[in-house]
Amino acid sequence: MIKFGYTILYVEDVEKSIEFYENVFGFARKFISPDNDYGELNTGETTISFASKKLASHNLSEGFIESSLEDKPFAIELGFITEDVGDLVQKATSFGAVLVTEPKKKPWGQVVAYVRDTDGFLLEFCTPMQG
């Protein structure tokens, strides 16, 4: 059996990034390493993890492209399902997220908006899919 277990975001400050996700989504802290280089949040089935860029550079000796609000977002997003997209956008931006796209109803009926978190990662907020 194979199960998708987690996504790791490489961030400047693990504690700060975890606090953003705790404040916006209400997720509970699962673990933070004593040196604050790695942490995890309980989000349900799949864990969101955070590793410091310093730790990532030890694991990836050839380097990596860093996420930054100054650059375009990566071609990947983290999706969060909610009944009230507008409310979640307002909450996220009040904690430092940057609005990318206002909530918009798609032809299939789903409401979708995009923000970037404080590290520049792209987040999609959407209503549940119908049908």
Side-chain angles (χ1 to χ4, degrees), residues 27-102:
F27 296 145
R29 194 175 296 209
K30 183 176 178 180
F31 169 81
I32 292 187
S33 65
D35 58 4
N36 288 327
D37 269 352
Y38 180 80
E40 297 180 348
L41 290 170
N42 283 317
T43 64
E45 276 291 309
T46 305
T47 299
I48 299 175
S49 304
F50 303 86
S52 69
K53 292 176 183 178
K54 178 181 155 195
L55 177 62
S57 67
H58 290 297
N59 295 335
L60 303 169
S61 61
E62 297 294 317
F64 53 91
I65 299 171
E66 296 184 23
S67 180
S68 167
L69 284 169
E70 288 76 42
D71 298 319
K72 289 182 180 181
F74 298 130
I76 188 171
E77 61 192 57
L78 300 180
F80 297 91
I81 300 167
T82 179
E83 294 295 333
D84 191 337
V85 172
D87 184 56
L88 190 53
V89 166
Q90 192 283 323
K91 188 172 186 181
T93 55
S94 76
F95 283 104
V98 175
L99 180 66
V100 175
T101 305
E102 293 278 353

Side-chain angles (χ1 to χ4, degrees), residues 5-43:
Y6 51 87
T7 296
I8 301 175
L9 304 178
Y10 298 155
V11 299
E12 196 65 43
D13 184 330
V14 170
E15 178 78 25
K16 181 180 170 192
S17 298
I18 283 180
E19 286 175 358
F20 171 82
Y21 282 79
E22 287 174 325
N23 288 327
V24 174
F25 303 107
F27 296 145
R29 194 175 296 209
K30 183 176 178 180
F31 169 81
I32 292 187
S33 65
D35 58 4
N36 288 327
D37 269 352
Y38 180 80
E40 297 180 348
L41 290 170
N42 283 317
T43 64

